[in-house]
Amino acid sequence: MTSKASPSSASGAGTLADLAADAYVYGYPLVFDVSMISAFMHKGFGSLPPTPFNQFGHAAKLATPDAHFVSVNNDTVYSIAQVDLSADPVLLHVPDTAGAYYVLQFVDVWSNNFAYLGKRATGTEEGDWLIVPPGWSGTAPDTVRGLIEAPTAVISVVGRNACDGPEDMPRVRALQQRLTLTPLDAATHRAGLPAPNPSVPEELRFYERLRVWMADFPPSGPDQDRQERFQPLGLLEEGPSPYVKADAVLVEALTEGLAAGKARVEAASNPPDDNGRPPGAWVANPHLFDYNLDHLGIGTIDAPQWKIADREESYLVRAAAARAALWGNHGYEAVYAHTFTDSDGEQLNGSRSYTLRFEQPPPVASFWSVTMYDTPDYYLVANPADRYSLGDRTPGLVYDEDGSLTVVIQRERPDNPAEAANWLPAPEGDFRPMIRLYTPMQSVLDGTYQLPPIVARG
């Protein structure tokens, strides 16, 4: 579709700025997601090497602080692939994990989770699956277990194999080598992603990326109808970029809208504690990833309770999820809970020592963990113990006589041996820990189970 950016048709920069802010919220997940795809293909993530389309990049170890990815987990070993379906379908082979937890999560470039394979969704046996592009009408081989219908021509497959520490890596590495992608035909696949115009001024590059990638990766039909309103911003223009020599009114509106949109996404990613939660309560939202309303395939739950009813609301939720936990799972696969404050409502900070006491283990069918992240980037925290998370699979934990577990959170290693065994290292400054509950029980999903607060010592 072609269109013409016409700032004079709107009632001034204020109206355009509001529209630009809406466009930022709407388009942030696409821009961030495609940027991460590009970064993965050219630089890799931590121990995951740079990897071209239609190949898995495998981590050789659990994630460490050199994996500069928001809220990366330290419980599982990643196998990630960027899949190009522009030429033909791709055959995915999954090995038998002999009952061990794993999940393959399928994410389109708008950050929608649209399918899952794994222990919860499809079991752990070996099999082949055919990943097909939008609108595909071919015939699948008889040998495949099923079709995975992709909403966009490029998708990410985010694989996680549970790993019980360095000694468990040989088992995981063997599984990784048997996880493969094979194009169904010999057609030529794209070598890279569509490139925005490098001549666009820095302050307008977000909108240039959004314009180019929105055209190459159209969203669902209802979303396409809604993005028509961004026509006055130039976001629907094809061909040469309208932002190289943009009208001054449009530049002002886009600049103001960018700032306002960022503020909205940041506020949604870290909402104020104004809903009656007690101080230090963990924020657990099993429905953070319910913004996919249109493409729910194998392994997903296509039901009203797992969909955001208001489409406009879903855009802000989607942006907040991308900002704080890109490529996170639906709540029925895993629930993530975080907190910024202790039981007194004070910001968590490495200048103090804290405890986190579990009277009973969190109710999960698989396993749970608590991982340390810095702020504001939400990266893993480097520490001399090389311990970035702690959970029910951590060897050597010391439980109390009543079966409870007290985690010690502080910067320095505790002198007491029992506390040192249960120590989760903290950074010098502010931090935000996250608890992950894999295959959570219903009490987690309905909120009847409450995680204990972190308590400051002394």
Side-chain angles (χ1 to χ4, degrees):
M1 175 179 296
T2 59
S3 60
K4 180 71 175 175
S6 52
S8 60
S9 65
S11 57
T15 301
L16 278 181
D18 293 340
L19 191 62
D22 288 347
Y24 181 91
V25 172
Y26 173 83
Y28 175 83
L30 173 66
V31 173
F32 191 33
D33 194 292
V34 176
S35 297
M36 288 298 101
I37 290 174
S38 179
F40 178 80
M41 294 177 65
H42 293 95
K43 300 177 182 178
F45 293 152
S47 68
L48 281 85
T51 310
F53 277 125
N54 299 337
Q55 296 182 28
F56 275 100
H58 301 294
K61 60 181 181 179
L62 289 166
T64 54
D66 61 353
H68 288 170
F69 191 81
V70 293
S71 303
V72 66
N73 90 46
N74 186 245
D75 304 309
T76 61
V77 179
Y78 282 89
S79 294
I80 297 179
Q82 311 305 334
V83 181
D84 171 39
L85 301 164
S86 59
D88 54 51
V90 173
L91 191 68
L92 167 67
H93 179 77
V94 179
D96 187 348
T97 67
Y101 178 87
Y102 88 96
V103 61
L104 292 176
Q105 171 193 358
F106 296 78
V107 191
D108 71 16
V109 292
W110 290 86
S111 79
N112 295 303
N113 299 328
F114 66 90
Y116 295 92
L117 304 179
K119 185 172 183 179
R120 176 198 61 84
T122 55
T124 63
E125 63 269 23
E126 184 175 11
D128 291 329
W129 303 82
L130 191 64
I131 311 171
V132 303
W136 187 74
S137 59
T139 302
D142 295 336
T143 54
V144 302
R145 290 184 59 186
L147 296 183
I148 298 171
E149 299 177 356
T152 53
V154 168
I155 65 166
S156 301
V157 182
V158 184
R160 302 173 178 91
N161 276 288
C163 182
D164 293 337
E167 69 282 353
D168 194 30
M169 275 304 302
R171 178 190 66 85
V172 173
R173 291 292 286 169
L175 291 172
Q176 289 176 330
Q177 298 310 308
R178 300 199 298 274
L179 179 67
T180 61
L181 291 163
T182 307
L184 194 61
D185 296 315
T188 301
H189 288 257
R190 71 174 84 206
L193 295 160
N197 190 321
S199 299
V200 170
E202 178 63 33
E203 65 270 21
L204 303 184
R205 287 182 183 174
F206 172 87
Y207 294 101
E208 171 66 0
R209 294 185 185 102
L210 179 56
R211 181 188 73 90
V212 172
W213 293 338
M214 200 163 64
D216 207 62
F217 305 115
S220 65
D223 283 353
Q224 288 188 58
D225 293 340
R226 288 173 183 255
Q227 71 186 27
E228 285 292 322
R229 62 196 179 99
F230 301 136
Q231 193 172 38
L233 302 174
L235 286 172
L236 304 184
E237 287 212 24
E238 298 177 357
S241 173
Y243 306 126
V244 174
K245 295 181 179 180
D247 180 278
V249 174
L250 181 60
V251 171
E252 179 184 359
L254 292 175
T255 304
E256 291 181 10
L258 184 75
K262 282 184 177 180
R264 286 169 58 186
V265 172
E266 288 300 318
S269 303
N270 183 21
D273 188 10
D274 59 359
N275 64 352
R277 286 193 302 268
W282 293 81
V283 179
N285 183 2
H287 299 286
L288 180 61
F289 298 94
D290 290 2
Y291 47 79
N292 180 7
L293 308 179
D294 304 303
H295 297 284
L296 292 157
I298 291 170
T300 64
I301 298 178
D302 188 355
Q305 63 267 35
W306 294 105
K307 293 181 179 181
I308 295 173
D310 186 287
R311 188 172 291 269
E312 287 293 335
E313 179 188 351
S314 75
Y315 299 148
L316 183 57
V317 174
R318 182 176 67 180
R323 168 67 181 91
L326 184 68
W327 299 346
N329 297 288
H330 276 96
Y332 43 79
E333 184 69 41
V335 164
Y336 313 97
H338 70 266
T339 185
F340 291 87
T341 61
D342 63 21
S343 60
D344 295 322
E346 299 294 325
Q347 169 66 50
L348 297 168
N349 187 277
S351 63
R352 305 189 69 182
S353 176
Y354 306 89
T355 59
L356 172 60
R357 182 179 176 84
F358 294 95
E359 298 293 341
Q360 296 178 336
V364 294
S366 295
F367 57 94
W368 66 269
S369 70
V370 54
T371 306
M372 178 61 66
Y373 299 99
D374 65 12
T375 64
D377 296 319
Y378 309 139
Y379 292 161
L380 295 176
V381 174
N383 63 83
D386 288 331
R387 175 178 279 186
Y388 313 106
S389 65
L390 181 150
D392 57 359
R393 301 172 303 138
T394 301
L397 293 179
V398 177
Y399 291 81
D400 296 333
E401 292 183 359
D402 61 359
S404 63
L405 175 68
T406 301
V407 179
V408 177
I409 302 173
Q410 62 185 45
R411 181 183 172 193
E412 303 294 336
R413 181 190 298 272
D415 294 329
N416 181 295
E419 291 190 352
N422 296 356
W423 173 45
L424 181 62
E428 292 185 9
D430 293 346
F431 60 86
R432 182 209 69 170
M434 177 178 283
I435 290 178
R436 287 180 171 85
L437 308 173
Y438 291 86
T439 321
M441 299 295 195
Q442 183 59 33
S443 60
V444 174
L445 299 178
D446 63 23
T448 55
Y449 171 76
Q450 296 294 316
L451 291 163
I454 294 174
V455 178
R457 305 170 83 179

